[in-house]
Amino acid sequence: MTGGAGLVLGYELPDAVLAGPPAEVVAAAERAEAAGVHALLLGDRPAARPGRAAPPAAIVAASVLAVRTRRIGLVMDAAPAYYEPYNLARMVASLDHVSAGRAGWRMVTGPDPEADANHRREGADPAAGREARAAEFVPLLKDLWDTWEDGAFVHEKDTGRFIDPDRVHVLDHAGPALRVRGPLNLVRPPQGHPVVLAPAADPALAREADVLLAGHPERAAASDRPVLGTVTPFVAETEERARELHARAGAPESDGDTAVVVGDAGSVAGRLAAWAVGGAGLDGFTVRFPLPGGIEAFTDLVLPELRAAGRLSGGYRAATLRGHLGLARPANRIVERLTAAGAGRS
């Protein structure tokens, strides 16, 4: 397993929690961290949701949780269609600094007409060229994170030199969809690159991602990077009670995006374990909670079953989100290109 001993688990907090009082968000995060969950996934959709409150901006929620937690990863949603690369690179890098290396970014790439309508301006339509923009966006963010080399801040009191200018790089990116000069206005993130999550089904985005999101676990394919399936559990002390909860939520069914699992703790844990060992290429799951109480039920009932079966470790083995996922800190891409160019001229 790429994530160390046992499954990688990420909790996708429900809107009812994220849009509720801040104390509820913090309590959910603290509960997940105490249980050893590897990451929290914080949704973000820049459009109104008729009939219900929308959660605050993911970067705000993640920043609050960064100072109220110590080990759990914090993954924010953001759609390249609605951000400029410099701004998003700065936000995610800032979160990585504030959290001491626990930040991640989940790319949101699907069509969203309501959100598109909030981001049109003269000469720009977010619905046009969405895929090409997203494919160019990801490597550009990584390059922006690398515009400051490790060790660029030298802090030489004797000479009065604060930075080494040779280790700070102007990017001057000019691509088909995006133009960015750089450098970024803060030092390289603690993780080098915050963790990037992308849909496994999109080859252009998957190529640049650190973690692949497979949707329904049965769609997963083995990879050299962590692959996570998505499950929506309805779990309770008894099968009957779990079926009642499922019915109360409208009896959602599995689809290509998520697997709905209904049952008591043993049956739900057994289903997850079966997917993980059944040759599906899965390293873990993102867990979506349709009901606020689902977090407590899954944590208190299912996680002990997974630990007893040897499928989940009892705590954190690293200080960063990359460490939780078994990912190495990446080399600086700009330095590698400059080194290769210098070698080619010699």
Side-chain angles (χ1 to χ4, degrees), residues 204-262:
L205 300 182
R207 184 170 53 248
E208 291 285 347
D210 300 301
V211 177
L212 303 180
L213 304 174
H216 194 292
E218 293 176 2
R219 299 176 63 183
S223 173
D224 58 349
R225 289 158 290 170
V227 179
L228 306 183
T230 302
V231 296
T232 299
F234 294 87
V235 61
E237 292 83 355
T238 66
E239 295 273 352
E240 181 180 10
R241 176 58 178 159
R243 288 193 293 270
E244 290 176 1
L245 293 174
H246 182 233
R248 182 189 302 174
E253 297 182 355
S254 300
D255 56 23
D257 186 47
T258 186
V260 176
V261 186
V262 183

Side-chain angles (χ1 to χ4, degrees), residues 59 62-63 66 74 76 85-105 140-148 183-196 329:
I59 183 64
S63 299
L74 302 166
M76 56 174 282
Y86 191 97
N87 289 342
L88 187 59
R90 185 184 181 205
M91 288 180 188
V92 181
S94 297
L95 178 61
D96 207 45
H97 282 290
V98 170
S99 66
R102 296 183 284 133
W105 166 43
L140 178 51
L141 256 66
K142 293 182 177 180
D143 282 349
L144 283 166
W145 292 329
D146 285 344
T147 51
W148 290 77
L184 205 59
N185 61 347
L186 73 166
V187 71
R188 195 172 190 237
Q191 295 184 100
H193 302 159
V195 177
V196 177
R329 190 174 189 269

